[in-house]
Amino acid sequence: MNKRCKQLLIAAGLGLVSATSQAVELLDKVVAVVNQDVVLESQLSGLVNQVRHSARAAGQPLPEEQPLRKQALERLILESLQLQLADRLGLRITDTQLEQAINNIARSEGKTAEQLRAGVAAEGLTYPQFREQVRNEILLSELARNQVRRRINISDQEVKQVVQMIKEQGQDNARYRVGNILLPLPGNPSSEQLRQASAQAEVLLGQLRQGADFRQLAIAHSAGPKALEGGDWGMMGINEMPSLFSEAVKNHGKDDIIGPIRSGAGLHILTIFDMEGGTAQTIQAVEVKARHILIKPSIIMSEEKAQSMLAGFARSIQAGEVRMAELAEQFSEDPGSAINGGDLGWAAPEMYVSSFRDTVNQLKVGQLSEPFRSEHGWHLVLLEDRRVMDATEQATEQRAYQLIFNRRFTEEVQTWLDELRDEAYIRIVDTNLSNGEL
């Protein structure tokens, strides 16, 4: 939708369309104004239909239409705020990055490109809609990393404590599928706000004890980030989940209802949808030894030229005309590795950004990749070796650091999103959903 059309839609939603503008036939309806953007009825209906389709496929009951639409609208408002911020920061996902991500999705699901397209159509999405969703998911993931990573500080003492805990647990691999219903509270709630939230929690607990479906209630009432997924956070190890969850699920079993538990965000009602594992294991660390060349697109170096340049390098390397290390020293724009001929040393693949990680995981030892795009630029990668080893002290420390980071990241993302929303101008135009400025 072009800028002029969006301006007309915003004006229509705010009741500011002049007599002349009223003659313009609007093709969509504004349901919310979010800073300089709008959420349209078509977007809202599309997301609601996707949730319905997923629920039918899983045999999952859904709440009434209005609470479902409210949850979907809240998701779209948060997405809009993040996409606007990404635009202001100049973050972009190129078509090449998008195609790589889609190919990785197909490969991870064991599907061909045609089978993936057929699956998308079966879910009621057009392929362009699917592409746009994937593009936005990648963009929002990058944005969150950029904005939240600097908030996280991890001390050596914290790492040592988690290392000790891992050792004491004997590398217990128990995993939990946790459900969460969040009833929000402001930072300093009044006694009346606490009373209302507690009363609502007791009502929900009563319904759950009488056999109500947890996911259905989460979709209808939760203010958590996984509300539209029925509050389902997926399978997580005890050290991977938010601290609140890890403390709560101890000594509880499948289908137990836990709470309400107070946090800075509000009151939580938890359940354990499923559990697996629970036996001690020896952790094996997979490490790769890779060498790469990085070319960063710029005003002078276009995307196409960077890709073509690396493709030429690949042909020369495969023909035995030149060594990759020589090209990396001369051309790579990664200062940390270029001086060493592009050598990245031994590292766990998880330490790399997702596109780089996925590429090295798919390569065989001695194999050279095709040129591929990450958020840093265009890469050519040679996988020199791969090894599997029992976790050393250093590997355990790396795992402990990553566990702490992942846990903090999850918690900080929600705080960041709350701040982003609090600072925004939001007006719900559809009176059936809400009314007034938020």
Side-chain angles (χ1 to χ4, degrees):
M1 183 172 298
N2 62 40
K3 186 175 181 181
R4 173 61 180 158
C5 190
K6 273 218 168 185
Q7 288 171 341
L8 285 170
L9 285 165
I10 292 173
L14 293 173
L16 302 177
V17 180
S18 67
T20 302
S21 299
Q22 286 173 359
V24 178
E25 182 181 355
L26 298 178
L27 301 179
D28 213 335
K29 172 188 169 186
V30 175
V31 292
V33 178
V34 186
N35 287 339
Q36 303 303 313
D37 195 15
V38 294
V39 177
L40 303 174
E41 174 62 38
S42 58
Q43 294 173 279
L44 181 57
S45 297
L47 180 54
V48 168
N49 287 337
Q50 277 187 258
V51 174
R52 284 201 191 104
H53 183 277
S54 299
R56 281 197 300 269
Q60 168 64 45
L62 287 172
E64 297 296 324
E65 178 75 5
Q66 188 172 0
L68 176 57
R69 282 172 60 84
K70 280 187 176 181
Q71 286 285 19
L73 179 58
E74 181 63 25
R75 175 72 59 87
L76 292 171
I77 287 171
L78 283 176
E79 285 185 2
S80 175
L81 290 171
Q82 292 171 82
L83 291 173
Q84 290 178 66
L85 178 57
D87 185 59
R88 291 196 298 272
L89 296 174
L91 294 179
R92 300 285 186 274
I93 302 301
T94 67
D95 288 341
T96 304
Q97 284 176 275
L98 178 60
E99 289 303 326
Q100 287 172 184
I102 291 174
N103 289 337
N104 287 336
I105 291 171
R107 192 178 295 112
S108 67
E109 295 179 0
K111 296 178 180 178
T112 64
E114 292 72 20
Q115 289 171 331
L116 183 65
R117 281 177 177 263
V120 167
E123 293 178 7
L125 283 176
T126 66
Y127 192 66
Q129 287 173 329
F130 170 73
R131 281 173 54 86
E132 194 61 21
Q133 282 191 1
V134 174
R135 188 192 299 273
N136 286 344
E137 286 172 9
I138 300 169
L139 185 57
L140 296 187
S141 177
E142 282 193 25
L143 176 68
R145 268 203 312 275
N146 291 340
Q147 295 295 300
V148 175
R149 183 168 44 197
R150 56 183 169 223
R151 294 172 175 239
I152 301 172
N153 295 305
I154 300 172
S155 68
D156 292 341
Q157 184 60 34
E158 289 177 289
V159 173
K160 290 177 182 177
Q161 288 174 351
V162 173
V163 166
Q164 185 61 33
M165 184 170 60
I166 290 173
K167 290 178 179 178
E168 290 173 356
Q169 290 176 350
Q171 310 291 9
D172 194 328
N173 67 340
R175 293 169 66 78
Y176 301 80
R177 188 167 190 167
V178 179
N180 172 45
I181 296 174
L182 169 63
L183 304 178
L185 284 169
N188 293 300
S190 66
S191 56
E192 177 59 21
Q193 289 170 325
L194 279 172
R195 188 196 65 76
Q196 290 179 358
S198 298
Q200 185 182 6
E202 288 304 317
V203 169
L204 294 178
L205 285 169
Q207 292 174 351
L208 290 167
R209 290 173 185 134
Q210 292 172 13
D213 186 272
F214 190 97
R215 289 182 172 90
Q216 186 177 12
L217 291 182
I219 294 173
H221 301 285
S222 179
K226 304 292 184 181
L228 275 181
E229 289 75 32
D232 188 348
W233 280 68
M235 278 290 185
M236 297 180 290
I238 199 75
N239 295 316
E240 297 172 299
M241 60 183 69
S243 305
L244 178 81
F245 293 4
S246 62
E247 291 299 321
V249 300
K250 289 177 182 177
N251 304 317
H252 282 281
K254 183 178 177 182
D255 297 327
D256 284 357
I257 302 298
I258 308 162
I261 302 169
R262 173 87 181 271
S263 79
L267 299 181
H268 300 258
I269 299 173
L270 305 177
T271 192
I272 300 173
F273 290 130
D274 203 0
M275 300 171 63
E276 63 181 27
T279 58
Q281 61 175 357
T282 301
I283 289 183
Q284 291 186 316
V286 177
E287 295 182 331
V288 295
K289 191 173 188 296
R291 188 181 298 272
H292 86 135
I293 301 171
L294 170 66
I295 304 295
K296 297 180 180 180
S298 64
I299 296 174
I300 299 172
M301 177 69 70
S302 67
E303 296 280 344
E304 294 75 15
K305 187 175 179 181
Q307 183 181 16
S308 176
M309 184 177 179
L310 288 178
F313 288 168
R315 289 191 293 270
S316 298
I317 294 166
Q318 289 166 339
E321 298 170 357
V322 66
R323 292 170 56 244
M324 186 169 181
E326 296 171 4
L327 292 173
E329 287 177 5
Q330 185 176 355
F331 296 102
S332 180
E333 296 180 72
D334 176 13
S337 67
I339 194 172
N340 297 316
D343 187 4
L344 295 170
W346 287 101
E350 292 73 22
M351 301 301 291
Y352 298 125
V353 296
S354 58
S355 54
F356 201 102
R357 175 202 65 209
D358 293 342
T359 299
V360 295
N361 279 338
Q362 292 157 14
L363 292 174
K364 297 177 181 177
V365 173
Q367 185 179 2
L368 188 67
S369 74
E370 297 289 331
F372 67 94
R373 185 70 156 83
S374 80
E375 49 261 50
H376 300 302
W378 283 89
H379 303 263
L380 186 68
V381 175
L382 173 66
L383 179 62
E384 296 189 329
D385 205 355
R386 179 182 283 115
R387 66 187 182 189
V388 179
M389 47 197 281
D390 288 346
T392 60
E393 186 73 22
Q394 182 181 6
T396 304
E397 287 181 3
Q398 288 178 346
R399 178 170 179 255
Y401 180 92
Q402 198 62 43
L403 287 171
I404 298 169
F405 181 89
N406 291 345
R407 173 181 286 179
R408 292 269 182 83
F409 186 82
T410 300
E411 295 167 349
E412 287 294 335
V413 163
Q414 187 58 46
T415 302
W416 168 65
L417 289 175
D418 290 343
E419 292 171 1
L420 198 61
R421 198 186 196 290
D422 289 343
E423 295 167 1
Y425 170 80
I426 300 169
R427 184 165 187 260
I428 310 299
V429 179
D430 188 335
T431 55
N432 290 322
L433 295 171
S434 183
N435 202 8
E437 296 177 13
L438 301 181

